[in-house]
């Protein structure tokens, strides 16, 4: 029955694929098949449901910002992170520089590129990329996660805008340590290869207060609370407000077509749909989540009866 609903959700999203486009500003992402679509749901009781292209690998892109923020909170602490990055939605595109020249030069939040580059600069001296890769595998319960060298090379060859952001931040003293190393670390994190299933695994970890399915605590409760809150307010870039109203599930998107969602205390949802809307969010993914949210009353403020 639940499986039927998930199948129906996928078909509700599918017609919207044609209204979006795959990302091309990172050339390797432009090679994705626009028509791919898959959803995985991992529930707290151990049940798992999947439909569509849930085993296809794609790059995590901005969803890595969730992993990086969680690790930064654990190793650097709340104060150090939020002394350097804000916690407000920016209302601008994910790769915008506009507000960085304003009176407060700190990035608005850790879910946009500028904020994530600053977060990377604080993690990088303490946790190596290899350790981050291991943590990502652990958080997502997916040993198949690797660095996608093609995506990494492709993004590094077209990284001018993120490099501009990084150097602007450095000029304002917001970058910790070496700016090029922070940028490289950030791009590597974006180039991790995941599946819709890996994202459902990560979502379940967050839905379950940082405790993995074996009962092991991987993240502190406070870290998980902060991460989920920032996902709710900032996870869909300048589409976060409307998404919170229509769907009301803390989520994070990536331009590789991934969508990570956390139904608190209940389930993790992972979606793969590389056709993106103008803001860089999976267009079918949004519709699928809207359908599931209304059908299953998953909105955080849905009336409980
Ligand atoms: N790697 C991408 C970038 O820095 C991530 C952006 C995204 O997924 N929105 O532009």
């Amino acid at each position: 029955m639940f499986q039927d609903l998930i199948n129906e959700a996928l078909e509700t999203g599918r017609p919207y694929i044609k209204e979006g486009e795959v990302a091309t500003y990172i050339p390797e992402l432009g090679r994705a098949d626009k028509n791919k679509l898959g959803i995985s749901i991992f529930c707290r009781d151990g049940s798992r449901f999947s439909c569509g292209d849930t085993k296809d690998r794609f790059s995590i892109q901005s969803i890595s910002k969730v992993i990086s923020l969680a690790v930064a909170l654990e190793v650097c602490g709340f104060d150090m992170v939020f002394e350097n990055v804000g916690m407000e939605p920016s209302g601008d595109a994910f790769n915008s520089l506009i507000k960085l020249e304003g009176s407060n030069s700190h990035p608005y939040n850790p879910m946009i590129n500028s904020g994530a580059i600053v977060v990377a600069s604080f993690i990088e001296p303490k946790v190596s990329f290899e350790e981050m890769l291991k943590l990502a595998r652990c958080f997502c319960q997916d040993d198949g996660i690797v660095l996608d060298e093609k995506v990494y090379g492709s993004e590094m060859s077209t990284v001018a805008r993120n490099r501009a952001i990084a150097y602007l931040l450095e000029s304002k003293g917001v970058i910790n340590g070496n700016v090029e190393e922070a940028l490289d670390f950030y791009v590597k994190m974006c180039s991790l290869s995941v599946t819709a299933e890996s994202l459902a695994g990560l979502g379940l970890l967050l839905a379950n207060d940082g405790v993995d399915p074996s009962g092991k605590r991987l993240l502190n409760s406070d870290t998980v609370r902060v991460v989920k809150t920032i996902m709710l307010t900032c996870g869909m870039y300048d589409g976060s407000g409307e998404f919170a109203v229509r769907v009301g599930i803390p989520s994070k998107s990536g331009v590789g077509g991934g969508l990570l969602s956390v139904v608190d205390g209940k389930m993790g949802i992972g979606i793969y749909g590389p056709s993106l809307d103008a803001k860089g969010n999976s267009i079918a993914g949004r519709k699928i989540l809207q359908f599931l949210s209304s059908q299953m009353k998953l909105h955080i403020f849905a009336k409980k009866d």
Side-chain angles (χ1 to χ4, degrees), residues 25-26 61-62 65 94 113 155 162 186 190 237 253-256:
Y25 76 99
I26 298 171
Q61 295 301 329
S62 270
K65 293 171 169 113
F94 61 83
N113 293 9
E155 181 157 352
N162 282 329
Y186 166 79
C190 290
Y237 318 115
S253 60
V255 288

Side-chain angles (χ1 to χ4, degrees), residues 25-26 29 59-65 94-95 111 113 117 151 155 159 161-162 186-187 190-191 237 252-257 276 279-281:
Y25 76 99
I26 298 171
L29 299 185
S59 56
I60 189 168
Q61 295 301 329
S62 270
I63 304 168
S64 64
K65 293 171 169 113
F94 61 83
N95 57 2
M111 297 289 116
N113 293 9
I117 291 169
V151 172
E155 181 157 352
V159 81
R161 195 173 179 89
N162 282 329
Y186 166 79
V187 174
C190 290
S191 307
Y237 318 115
K252 181 76 200 87
S253 60
V255 288
L276 308 179
K279 294 180 173 171
N281 298 316

Side-chain angles (χ1 to χ4, degrees), residues 39-54:
I39 175 168
S40 286
I41 299 187
F42 289 6
C43 302
R44 244 180 105 190
D45 65 5
S47 52
R48 295 178 171 201
F49 303 87
S50 281
C51 179
D53 305 309
T54 57

Side-chain angles (χ1 to χ4, degrees), residues 89-109:
S90 69
D92 296 321
F94 61 83
N95 57 2
S96 174
L97 290 96
I98 291 175
K99 295 215 170 79
L100 297 178
E101 268 296 57
S103 50
N104 176 2
S105 49
H106 291 180
Y108 263 63
N109 69 70

Side-chain angles (χ1 to χ4, degrees), residues 8-19:
E8 196 185 337
L10 201 81
E11 294 319 316
T12 308
R14 203 182 294 281
Y16 293 90
I17 289 177
K18 60 177 180 313
E19 292 175 24

